[in-house]
Amino acid sequence: MAALMGSLVPELQRLLEKDPYLAPFEQDFQRRYGIFHHILKSVEESEGGLDKFTKSYLTFGVNRFVDGGIYCKEWAPGAEAVFLTGDFNNWNPFSHPYKKMDFGKWELFIPPGPDGFSPVSHGSKLKVVIRTRSGEVLYRISPWARYVAREGTNVNYDWIFWDPPNPYRRRHPVPKKPKSLRIYESHVGIASPEGKIASYKNFTHNVLPKVKDLGYNCIQLMAVMEHAYYASFGYQITSFFAASSRYGPPDDLKELIDVAHSMGITVLLDVVHSHASKNSEDGLNNFDGTDNAFFHSGTRGVHALWDSRLFDYANWEVLRFLLSNLRWWIEEYAFDGFRFDGVSSMLYHHHGIGEGFSGDYNEYFGMHVDEDALAYLVMANYMIHFLHPECITVAEDVSGMPALCCPVKEGGCGFDYRLAMAVPDKWIQIIKELKDEDWDMGNIVFTLTNRRYGEKYIAYAESHDQALVGDKTLAFRLMDAEMYNYMSVLTPLTPIIDRGIQIHKMIRLITHALGGEGYLNFMGNEFGHPEWLDFPRKGNNESYHYARRQFHLADDQLLRYRFLNDFDRDMNKLEEIFGWLSSPPAYISEKHESNKVIAFERANLLFIFNFHPSKSYADYRVGTEKPGKFKIVLDSDAPEYGGHNRLDHNTEFFTQNYSHNNRPNSLLQPRSLNESDGQPRGQLHTYFLEVYIPSRVALVFQNMDIQN
């Protein structure tokens, strides 16, 4: 197709130069780009351009004209007839029929009343009535509905026409795209210590100030797109254009984002275009009485593990719906971009089920790749960055698809970042399976730095996935039941609590500094939130006990949670000053297996980690690129972080012109207080500085002779 269309990838050579191993798959990149180019050309020729096509929410669904009239449009290719009913016509199912158009579309115009007022008032309930070809009459919510709510004990959601006379008006400008992305992954409903569903208002007034104080410059909001089942964590979407009503009305979400912008905080939406809920009464499934309006028919249209419906990305109206959905969240709510959920499921016909993804490039090319879904992702990124260059897109892909975060013009998918999903798995594996003295420094460094050249990664030690019931957060894995009895400073510091607090800080800092070009933390994990996350469901008697975040624990000066919270804050604020996330990858000068020491440089900072559980070191030489005077700017052993205060922060360290670990200069710290390494030491004493590196410590040094 690429050859026929003449749509060769403009800058494919640049991609192949970055990764020559992709050269055998050049025709695959040409074909994929050809599919994208064909879609884009068709949009321009048949839909009046990309701008108009992706604003289809202005005509589809139910929209009020300036004169008060109501225009309605739906795509229901399997319907025999379509009607609109609701409060406005006393629920007469057939009094307002739609007119049939080409390509399965239906339209209806309802003129304004004699007084010029809209015939459908704000807050009134509506339904689309579908008469199928078999004669069955179905009552449906429009796929384009902008507000749905569940009243009382009702099982299903009601479609409520949202057209307030005084809609929310933004007061603050959108912040510029952050150079360093520090993401606070958040769920509005659990963002309160109370055992209930928290509100947008609560998040605005109580959580946003915490996020700002912690030094995060981006919030990723989960579970905003409406989902009927709360316990799905927002991943079974029923109404794609509706902000979840369980947290409050749409204007409250707009206020939340506006206030975040006033604080300089970017807001991303966790968008779910990988699948949809199987609900029919209040979802997309069987909207027009058929199983293939928005989705593939038969088994191809059902995800075997998620028990949900799968979109037909080759369908023109599905492209219209999904691309317009992205545009809606940007322009109506002022979201600054998206984290795309389930990208691995989209990219492959096998949806990643049972696949290990070894990294063999043949796994990423061939008939098992769903190139229609891939073309949709390229279209989505192209559209977002073309119309809103400041927007950010993040891909959740476990497979490692090459070029996912390369520009479209190079043959890539156009995402800005991808999640470094191997990192949290590695930390869990290490903590579960290895004794502290058996930790593999080389393997840790490899996992944190094993990323595709030229693509940006968001590193994280744990996200919401690791907090869910059935799993454990890092803090709970490290300290478990002792967190219930020994997190008070009035109780003895047990070895388990001490180990947990120290390792928790070290894991987060090394992941932050070495693991990527962005960093993510799930809300509450910054202070070692105890226990797991479990939403109310039949299996727990609909309890909210674990569906909440106990922020008060970090505020209590008598609890040790504040040590982790304060370290997380200062780690982020140090990154804000030095910008290591937006700097080139680190130079790793040491990963010493027996000493358990990792040392690297990034953004004119020197990072030293001693993971050894018991050995402290003095006179330990560490290489540096540039000479100068160094001082400690972050120390996990400081007392304010629950450390043991074993270092003097007023000490100044001077490099010597002595090459070490392939660095031209070095700081010398004699080897070990506990044992001799068997090396002749007299010659080295000329260059050493009396510096002490305690066990289980993370240190950051600044070269004071270099202007940041």
Side-chain angles (χ1 to χ4, degrees), residues 25-59:
F25 306 100
E26 179 174 351
Q27 288 305 310
D28 293 86
F29 284 106
Q30 299 287 11
R31 183 182 61 257
R32 293 173 179 183
Y33 187 87
I35 298 171
F36 153 72
H37 185 270
H38 176 68
I39 295 170
L40 183 61
K41 186 177 180 182
S42 298
V43 168
E44 296 294 334
E45 292 177 351
S46 61
E47 293 286 350
L50 189 63
D51 180 62
K52 183 178 178 181
F53 184 62
T54 57
K55 270 192 169 181
S56 291
Y57 52 79
L58 295 177
T59 53

Side-chain angles (χ1 to χ4, degrees), residues 78 97 101 189 268 270 319 367 405 462 552:
M101 305 167 67
L268 304 182
D270 198 349
L319 285 175
M367 298 296 289
C405 297
E462 54 186 338
H552 61 283

Side-chain angles (χ1 to χ4, degrees), residues 359-467:
D360 184 332
Y361 275 23
N362 290 295
E363 295 174 335
Y364 308 123
F365 303 93
M367 298 296 289
H368 51 281
V369 176
D370 188 339
E371 294 191 344
D372 292 328
L374 191 146
Y376 162 67
L377 291 171
V378 176
M379 276 295 299
N381 278 296
Y382 177 84
M383 181 269 292
I384 291 167
H385 293 119
F386 178 72
L387 297 173
H388 295 279
E390 289 296 306
C391 277
I392 298 166
T393 57
V394 180
E396 187 213 27
D397 169 46
V398 72
S399 75
M401 170 67 77
L404 195 66
C405 297
C406 292
V408 172
K409 61 186 178 182
E410 292 182 10
C413 288
F415 283 100
D416 294 302
Y417 297 88
R418 65 196 305 162
L419 293 176
M421 300 186 71
V423 174
D425 292 342
K426 174 55 63 177
W427 289 124
I428 290 171
Q429 181 250 324
I430 289 172
I431 293 172
K432 282 177 64 175
E433 300 177 7
L434 300 177
K435 297 178 181 178
D436 291 4
E437 54 268 27
D438 294 332
W439 285 26
D440 187 328
M441 300 296 103
N443 188 244
I444 290 172
V445 169
F446 174 78
T447 303
L448 288 169
T449 57
N450 181 28
R451 46 191 188 267
R452 298 191 59 81
Y453 175 74
E455 299 192 40
K456 293 181 179 180
Y457 283 66
I458 292 174
Y460 58 106
E462 54 186 338
S463 69
H464 71 274
D465 287 323
Q466 288 74 40

Side-chain angles (χ1 to χ4, degrees), residues 187-192 194-199 230 246-248 536 544 547:
H187 186 292
V188 170
I190 66 171
S192 164
E194 299 180 66
K196 64 178 185 180
I197 298 177
S199 66
Y230 188 46
R246 54 173 56 85
Y247 318 127
Y544 286 89

Side-chain angles (χ1 to χ4, degrees), residues 82 86 108 138 156 224 226 303 309 365 372 502 504 535:
V82 180
L108 165 66
L138 306 174
N156 295 321
V224 167
E226 190 60 272
H303 195 290
R309 297 304 313 271
F365 303 93
D372 292 328
Q502 308 318 322
H504 194 273
F535 286 84

Side-chain angles (χ1 to χ4, degrees), residues 63-73 84 88 95-99 106-113 119:
N63 289 277
R64 178 175 57 83
F65 282 172
V66 175
D67 66 359
I70 294 290
Y71 181 72
C72 314
K73 187 192 286 188
L84 186 71
F88 77 100
S95 64
H96 287 76
Y98 285 66
K99 175 185 175 183
W106 302 78
E107 68 175 353
L108 165 66
F109 176 69
I110 309 174

Side-chain angles (χ1 to χ4, degrees), residues 110-216:
I110 309 174
D115 52 6
F117 286 101
S118 170
V120 181
S121 61
H122 167 64
S124 62
K125 295 179 182 178
L126 296 170
K127 286 277 189 176
V128 174
V129 181
I130 303 285
R131 188 167 66 216
T132 69
R133 290 169 184 168
S134 64
E136 186 180 7
V137 175
L138 306 174
Y139 288 80
R140 295 289 190 248
I141 292 175
S142 170
W144 303 77
R146 299 172 187 178
Y147 187 64
V148 297
R150 181 186 287 156
E151 294 189 352
T153 58
N154 289 353
V155 174
N156 295 321
Y157 276 77
D158 291 315
W159 172 20
I160 298 172
F161 182 58
W162 192 260
D163 185 31
N166 297 302
Y168 184 85
R169 298 191 181 279
R170 297 172 202 158
R171 297 168 175 82
H172 305 287
V174 173
K176 289 186 177 181
K177 184 187 297 187
K179 290 182 180 179
S180 296
L181 202 60
R182 302 182 299 274
I183 302 173
Y184 197 73
E185 186 183 33
S186 306
H187 186 292
V188 170
I190 66 171
S192 164
E194 299 180 66
K196 64 178 185 180
I197 298 177
S199 66
Y200 296 122
K201 288 281 190 184
N202 167 73
F203 197 96
T204 302
H205 296 299
N206 297 321
V207 182
L208 283 180
K210 293 181 185 294
V211 175
K212 179 66 174 176
D213 178 66
L214 284 166
Y216 291 94

Side-chain angles (χ1 to χ4, degrees), residues 540-558:
N540 63 14
N541 295 318
E542 304 295 337
S543 172
Y544 286 89
H545 181 73
Y546 297 111
R548 59 197 179 106
R549 296 281 93 177
Q550 301 178 63
F551 292 113
H552 61 283
L553 296 176
D555 298 330
D556 192 329
Q557 295 300 298
L558 294 178

